[in-house]
Amino acid sequence: MKKYTYTESKDTRSGFGAGLLEAGRRNSNVVALCADLVASLKMQDFINEFPDRFIQIGIAEANMIGIAAGLTIGGKIPFTGTFANFSTGRVYDQIRQSVAYSDKNVKICASHAGLTLGEDGATHQILEDIGLMKMLPGMTVINPCDYNQTKAATLAIAEHEGPVYLRFGRPVVPIFTDADQKFEIGKAWMVNEGADVSIFATGHLVWEAIKAGEALAELGIDAEIINIHTIKPLDEEAVLKSVAKTGCVVTAEEHNRLGGLGDSIAQLLAVNNPTPQEYVAVNDSFGESGTPAQLMTKYGLDAEHIVKAVQKVIARKK
């Protein structure tokens, strides 16, 4: 198992803030809109440097999406910012009609996704957003794993033509990817090559998959770990190549098991190479209040549960 170390931990939303500022410096058409959550979305540095390229919409998320769609007509590249729950569920109609159907170059940037929003509870913890967004024709869906990758993804989507959903979070997580990485939309990242099982992880679960891989190595299990940061378009070639070698799959995500990364991979395999698969995800339920660590453990989204899923799926393969 390849060793990954880190010297610093940071929230992925701060990676978005840093990426937005740099994107603004690189392209004068980059503009930002926020629904009264500037501090939470880490947009203040962009506002300080480009005050005339920021619009505070207030608590009017549907209006924010509509304004962003309109700005694209004049050649602007709008980045909208609010919590994932409000970025998707609250404004789905506006995204569908004004952004996706109209193929507008809007970047929907969503913080506080999944259970790790924590103490704010189920009303704010959306676990359906990946499914909602990936079902929209033409929508790119990205879920990076740490600060550096989120910054790189933010810069990449500024150069990408078309609607994008960028998902990130509030909790502090290890920074283990390169600071100078090139983010390729739609290209999976091989974390560790292995032969016994394919672990496809996204977002905060990538680090948990790495910890699980280390534990599995001690048990004599050689895990292949792949970071699926781009859920749509899915890197089908990487998935099929890995599964052809290992013969079994575990998917890991901070999302409902219905409609997320696991579903995308299962559909791909059902058509091309039916394979035993286990899911590490929230099992069709809402969340609750608690610390991020408590919730990840209670809902089975940690390294220990990934190890158990691997053991189960390998037994099925045999």
Side-chain angles (χ1 to χ4, degrees):
M1 173 69 192
K2 182 178 179 180
K3 293 294 183 183
Y4 285 86
T5 59
Y6 67 96
T7 58
E8 184 181 7
S9 295
K10 212 167 185 179
D11 48 343
T12 50
R13 60 178 173 159
S14 290
F16 165 70
L20 178 64
L21 176 61
E22 182 61 30
R25 289 170 175 170
R26 294 183 184 183
N27 191 332
S28 61
N29 281 321
V30 169
V31 297
L33 303 86
C34 191
D36 203 34
L37 287 168
V38 166
S40 294
L41 270 291
K42 304 298 182 180
M43 287 179 156
Q44 192 60 54
D45 288 343
F46 180 92
I47 297 168
N48 292 342
E49 191 157 331
F50 308 109
D52 59 336
R53 288 157 57 187
F54 172 75
I55 306 173
Q56 175 58 271
I57 304 298
I59 306 174
E61 294 85 356
N63 193 32
M64 178 173 68
I65 295 297
I67 291 171
L71 286 168
T72 66
I73 297 172
K76 301 301 181 184
I77 306 171
F79 283 68
T80 68
T82 185
F83 289 175
N85 194 14
F86 311 141
S87 287
T88 58
R90 178 171 288 181
V91 296
Y92 194 72
D93 179 60
Q94 284 73 27
I95 294 173
R96 183 182 187 275
Q97 309 291 46
S98 299
V99 176
Y101 177 68
S102 304
D103 194 30
K104 294 295 191 292
N105 193 30
V106 176
K107 316 306 174 185
I108 301 164
C109 303
S111 184
H112 294 57
L115 287 173
T116 49
L117 174 57
E119 292 83 350
D120 286 354
T123 58
H124 285 54
Q125 296 163 344
I126 192 162
L127 296 165
E128 315 90 61
D129 55 316
I130 290 174
L132 288 169
M133 292 295 103
K134 77 175 187 178
M135 286 189 292
L136 291 170
M139 181 70 72
T140 294
V141 179
I142 297 174
N143 188 37
C145 65
D146 70 355
Y147 172 93
N148 286 341
Q149 192 169 81
T150 307
K151 179 180 179 181
T154 305
L155 292 169
I157 68 173
E159 298 177 357
H160 173 81
E161 183 67 30
V164 176
Y165 178 59
L166 178 65
R167 183 190 207 245
F168 42 92
R170 181 173 76 173
V172 170
V173 294
I175 301 174
F176 59 95
T177 69
D178 294 337
D180 60 350
Q181 66 188 274
K182 177 176 173 56
F183 187 93
E184 295 184 62
I185 295 173
K187 184 68 173 176
W189 173 47
M190 177 65 74
V191 178
N192 184 73
E193 292 192 36
D196 296 332
V197 61
S198 298
I199 302 175
F200 299 109
T202 187
H204 296 143
L205 270 292
V206 176
W207 180 251
E208 296 299 320
I210 290 171
K211 292 195 295 182
E214 294 172 349
L216 289 165
E218 294 180 1
L219 298 173
I221 297 173
D222 186 19
E224 180 147 293
I225 303 170
I226 298 180
N227 172 10
I228 306 291
H229 52 67
T230 306
I231 295 171
K232 183 186 177 186
L234 183 67
D235 189 342
E236 297 184 354
E237 180 181 357
V239 172
L240 293 173
K241 181 179 179 181
S242 177
V243 172
K245 175 171 55 173
T246 66
C248 62
V249 173
V250 169
T251 54
E253 58 191 312
E254 188 185 346
H255 189 269
N256 194 331
R257 65 175 292 168
L258 305 175
L261 170 64
D263 263 7
S264 291
I265 288 178
Q267 289 178 37
L268 176 66
L269 296 178
V271 172
N272 294 275
N273 184 9
T275 306
Q277 178 175 342
E278 292 292 329
Y279 295 76
V280 174
V282 177
N283 190 21
D284 194 23
S285 74
F286 292 102
E288 61 185 289
S289 296
T291 67
Q294 288 171 333
L295 293 168
M296 294 284 274
T297 298
K298 177 172 181 177
Y299 288 85
L301 308 182
D302 57 14
E304 180 182 349
H305 285 85
I306 295 174
V307 169
K308 290 178 180 177
V310 166
Q311 292 172 320
K312 184 176 180 180
V313 81
I314 286 178
R316 289 175 58 196
K317 178 175 69 168
K318 292 179 180 179

